[in-house]
Amino acid sequence: MTNRFRLRSALSAVFVAAASLHGASNAIASGGDLRFDVDCVDQVSGPTNLRAHGVMYIGNERFETWAEGWGEVTIDVWGNVAADTEDRFVSCDVEWFYGDAGSWYYLWTDSESLTLLGSGPGSGTLKFSAFIPYNWVGNPADIYRLFAGDDRGFAPYNVTSRAVTIYDIANPAVNDFDDLGPPYHEVGMTEEYHGPTSLDAPMPFGRITQQARDDWAWDPPMKTRWGTASTSSMACYPPERLGPTQDGTASENRTHCFGSASNPLVAGAPAIDWDLTFTLRWGLNKVVYTVEGCHDGFPAYEAYLNGHAMFQDSDNGDPWSLFPPCDVSVNQTGEVPK
Amino acid sequence: MTGAAILLVIALTPAQATAAVERPTSAAEMQAATKQVKRATLNDLASLRYSPGATQTEEMIATGLSDPDADVRLSAVYALAGRAAVGRFKQFKSSTRLLSVTPSERPLLMRLRHRVLELLGDPSERVRQGAVIALVNLEYDGAGDYNDVTLKPDAVQALSRQLQKETAPAVRVEIVKTFTLTSLRSIGRDDILLAGLRDADADVVQFSVMGLARSKPAAALPVIAGLLSHPSRAVRMQLGPALAGYGRTARPFLDELVRAAATDNDPEVRRTFDVAIAAIQSSSRE
């Protein structure tokens, strides 16, 4: 630096400004409805001609600006980028020059950097299940008959359920599409057993024996009947895009899943019911979820996003609570890291 | 230089209030109540958490069944189903809540049967499905097995009529399931299930096979045997026991069954076919 200049002030900043909304149909290279404005601002004062050359990298995207003036010069290097699932390194370098006798002479370089956080995973697998935690449950109409349960605790993977919905939801911040395919619905086969010949201990104790499970002839002894409930009442609406959040850091979407499935071996059996709305906010390397709605009090219900529990509701032990439709409220909020 | 931090504020929605509501105790109070109170009351009636007198119960359910709001009607049909099921699901007889339902209630509930038949044609699909469930539980006369429900002629007629024009798969399946599992004495039952064997909906086919396996009409045998390569596993899982039930009469279809047992890609389906083959061969030797 020469003493020909006296800098009155030097103020620099890099900041991420508001996001802009692009509609789902607005096909841009990296997709999604979330974009970031990134500004790198630097200012120098001095009693001479000043010139600034700013270069900013956001990930591998380059933005460049020049500024020039006498006395006080402000440079604003501005970049607009689409949201990405990965963190991106943002660097800004501003080179300052002073002019003298028709030539420019280098003064110094201001540098700053930050990390532009990723907008969460590219997609989220939403899994909702209703299951009977017990090895078996009694047939409410016949003390000698029982139904096999799922015999498990809460678990996101490799388990059986009475009813399950799996839906791969796209991150709206980074994708032009809303899901990775239609929702998948399945029900577990219902198996009825003759209690006295199917358990390894007298009712109401014991567990269903392997021999009974391997029995594929109708009527007693052991397994008596089987059937599969209909999935025709199970559905999820395609995710609705809610756009970027007010603070511009994330993008939201919402899907509504509902359904019912009843025991296929009991006429007039009330169904297990659920009606749940999942609102997902994708940004800052996580997904913030809100689950609102209802399900029956029996059996147990669970919902996961990418394997992380959103709610796990135990059954109330009362199959009669299947009669009132969807009488247990759900209202859960939390976050799932990327 | 200053890098501005990005702040995220998570808006936590307060948990939904689940404060107990004051329940109506009469039809008039029910009619004047809000939707939320109506539904909560009917849901409590359905689960037997609330058992006022028999007359009040019948009146409040009747009010709910005629409510202009489909959600209230839905809760009402399930309240009726839940109360009517008390005599059917005997295993819970020791339950305090079941004991709170007086024997005088059922005859009063039966007065709502005509309204349930009307609700089979309700604009709401879920109400129609609930009406089928309520009807089954109302038709149970308390004499036999829990599935031994003989549908009265007007119920058969109403269900058949609704099945012919019904477009909602869930309701169609519920109606066919009703004919499948209830008494073999219900008039026209087998004809409805025979038609169901040719239905495009695999759930309807599954229940039709299951139901015809109980009554074993001769006309169903070749059609059931013709389903051995049906794409639905649920359907194929029913075929083995259904054919086995026909015994030696199913002998002409044994070759097809053997072929299916060798080629089906599902091990459990193959197992049911193997069991059926053994049963048919055994009955042929008798």
Side-chain angles (χ1 to χ4, degrees), chain B residues 226-239:
Chain B
L227 296 170
L228 285 166
S229 56
H230 196 281
S232 163
R233 177 184 189 270
V235 170
R236 299 200 312 282
M237 281 297 291
Q238 298 299 323
L239 299 177

Side-chain angles (χ1 to χ4, degrees), chain B residues 41-263:
Chain B
T41 304
L42 291 164
N43 289 346
D44 284 350
L45 286 171
S47 60
L48 314 181
R49 285 191 292 260
Y50 178 41
S51 288
T55 307
Q56 290 101 311
T57 300
E58 185 264 331
E59 285 177 357
M60 284 194 286
I61 294 174
T63 305
L65 292 175
S66 298
D67 198 278
D69 190 304
D71 289 339
V72 176
R73 293 197 302 279
L74 179 69
S75 288
V77 288
Y78 278 104
L80 182 53
R83 309 296 295 194
V86 168
R88 197 169 159 230
F89 296 137
K90 299 182 180 70
Q91 193 172 333
F92 286 112
K93 262 194 172 154
S94 58
S95 156
T96 315
R97 277 187 282 146
L98 256 69
L99 293 172
S100 69
V101 179
T102 62
S104 61
E105 187 175 300
R106 190 172 175 83
L108 293 175
L109 295 178
M110 287 303 288
R111 299 200 315 212
L112 302 176
R113 187 175 172 278
H114 73 283
R115 180 67 186 128
V116 173
L117 291 174
E118 288 171 0
L119 289 170
L120 291 173
D122 192 271
S124 160
E125 170 186 335
R126 295 189 69 204
V127 173
R128 295 199 300 277
Q129 186 179 10
V132 179
I133 291 166
L135 183 61
V136 172
N137 287 290
L138 277 176
E139 295 288 83
Y140 180 72
D141 62 8
D145 175 74
Y146 66 97
N147 269 342
D148 195 13
V149 176
T150 305
L151 301 169
K152 294 175 187 67
D154 61 340
V156 172
Q157 202 176 22
L159 289 169
S160 306
R161 203 171 42 234
Q162 189 59 36
L163 182 61
Q164 280 169 8
K165 62 182 178 188
E166 183 61 63
T167 53
V171 186
R172 299 185 75 245
V173 170
E174 197 66 49
I175 293 173
V176 174
K177 177 186 164 186
T178 297
F179 285 113
T180 295
L181 296 170
T182 54
S183 170
L184 307 183
R185 296 189 299 275
S186 299
I187 298 159
R189 169 190 183 275
D190 282 1
D191 292 337
I192 289 163
L193 296 180
L194 273 164
L197 289 179
R198 295 184 170 85
D199 202 277
D201 186 328
D203 295 320
V204 170
V205 179
Q206 180 205 201
F207 282 113
S208 298
V209 173
M210 202 189 289
L212 291 165
R214 294 177 61 216
S215 50
K216 305 181 189 65
L221 179 55
V223 190
I224 291 173
L227 296 170
L228 285 166
S229 56
H230 196 281
S232 163
R233 177 184 189 270
V235 170
R236 299 200 312 282
M237 281 297 291
Q238 298 299 323
L239 299 177
L243 291 171
Y246 278 92
R248 72 172 68 183
T249 322
R251 175 104 189 131
F253 304 99
L254 200 52
D255 289 348
E256 290 166 56
L257 191 54
V258 169
R259 264 197 302 278
T263 56

Side-chain angles (χ1 to χ4, degrees), chain A residues 85-275:
Chain A
T85 57
E86 301 298 324
D87 287 351
R88 278 168 292 183
F89 184 70
V90 180
S91 65
C92 182
D93 295 302
V94 178
E95 293 177 309
W96 288 100
F97 303 88
Y98 71 92
D100 186 25
S103 296
W104 291 102
Y105 299 95
Y106 175 77
L107 278 170
W108 69 78
T109 299
D110 285 332
S111 296
E112 186 56 282
S113 65
L114 58 72
T115 300
L116 182 60
L117 295 178
S119 296
S123 64
T125 299
L126 190 157
K127 183 181 182 190
F128 165 80
S129 311
F131 67 98
I132 297 173
Y134 317 108
N135 185 260
W136 57 271
V137 289
N139 182 331
D142 186 336
I143 57 169
Y144 297 113
R145 300 291 173 96
L146 55 89
F147 296 113
D150 296 295
D151 197 16
R152 68 172 176 93
F154 295 109
Y157 304 119
N158 303 320
V159 288
T160 67
S161 298
R162 295 304 84 208
V164 61
T165 288
I166 299 173
Y167 198 10
D168 289 320
I169 310 285
N171 178 345
V174 298
N175 293 300
D176 285 336
F177 45 88
D178 296 322
D179 54 32
L180 275 60
Y184 167 80
H185 306 290
E186 190 181 69
V187 288
M189 192 166 71
T190 300
E191 298 177 4
E192 186 194 63
Y193 291 83
H194 177 241
T197 54
S198 300
L199 300 178
D200 59 11
M203 291 179 81
F205 307 104
R207 296 170 61 82
I208 298 171
T209 63
Q210 192 57 47
Q211 191 187 5
R213 290 193 185 276
D214 292 339
D215 172 33
W216 291 108
W218 273 354
D219 298 325
M222 298 187 286
K223 194 182 290 174
T224 49
R225 289 185 298 171
W226 53 87
T228 308
S230 171
T231 58
S232 57
S233 296
M234 298 166 65
C236 290
Y237 288 129
E240 173 194 2
R241 282 180 182 254
L242 304 177
T245 52
Q246 227 169 9
D247 63 5
T249 60
S251 179
E252 283 187 325
N253 59 4
R254 174 187 294 157
T255 186
H256 176 203
C257 294
F258 53 95
S260 64
S262 66
N263 187 321
L265 303 178
V266 179
I272 53 175
D273 299 302
W274 62 93
D275 189 311

